[in-house]
Amino acid sequence: MERKPVPRCKSPRLTDRDVIRALQLIRLEGLPTGEYEPMSNREEMYLRIVRAGHPVDIEDFVLSRPLFQLEAAERRANEEDEAASVST
């Protein structure tokens, strides 16, 4: 007798994608209030648009996981470059 695979239930836990998206939304919502300082060109652009009073869709500034990770890696590389230039 052949066994049929049991369907898996989705876990109620948050996925990495959910966490990364939530983190971006929290930061973007806190930029105009001064709660956070921009940490990327993307966040800086969002803040400029909001401060200029232009309509903006916050979802346009939420990145996919790979792009978010690339942005974080670029930020770390820039910080390391700045630290190296200060120490020399």
Side-chain angles (χ1 to χ4, degrees):
M1 177 177 213
E2 187 177 331
R3 293 183 132 191
K4 292 184 180 180
V6 177
R8 292 184 156 199
C9 295
K10 282 199 168 190
S11 171
R13 294 182 309 159
L14 292 174
T15 65
D16 284 348
R17 180 178 176 227
D18 295 330
V19 172
I20 288 171
R21 183 176 187 286
L23 174 64
Q24 291 180 75
L25 288 172
I26 289 168
R27 285 197 50 79
L28 289 170
E29 290 169 355
L31 287 171
T33 65
E35 186 174 355
Y36 301 107
E37 290 294 319
M39 291 179 57
S40 66
N41 290 338
R42 171 182 57 91
E43 289 181 351
E44 177 86 25
M45 179 61 72
Y46 173 80
L47 185 57
R48 286 182 182 182
I49 292 170
V50 170
R51 284 184 175 163
H54 299 295
V56 61
D57 183 357
I58 197 169
E59 293 294 331
D60 290 342
F61 290 86
V62 176
L63 300 177
S64 66
R65 180 180 174 198
L67 288 176
F68 182 77
Q69 290 173 326
L70 176 63
E71 183 179 85
E74 287 177 342
R75 184 174 57 249
R76 282 190 302 273
N78 289 338
E79 289 170 355
E80 289 172 3
D81 288 345
E82 289 174 8
S85 68
V86 169
S87 65
T88 54

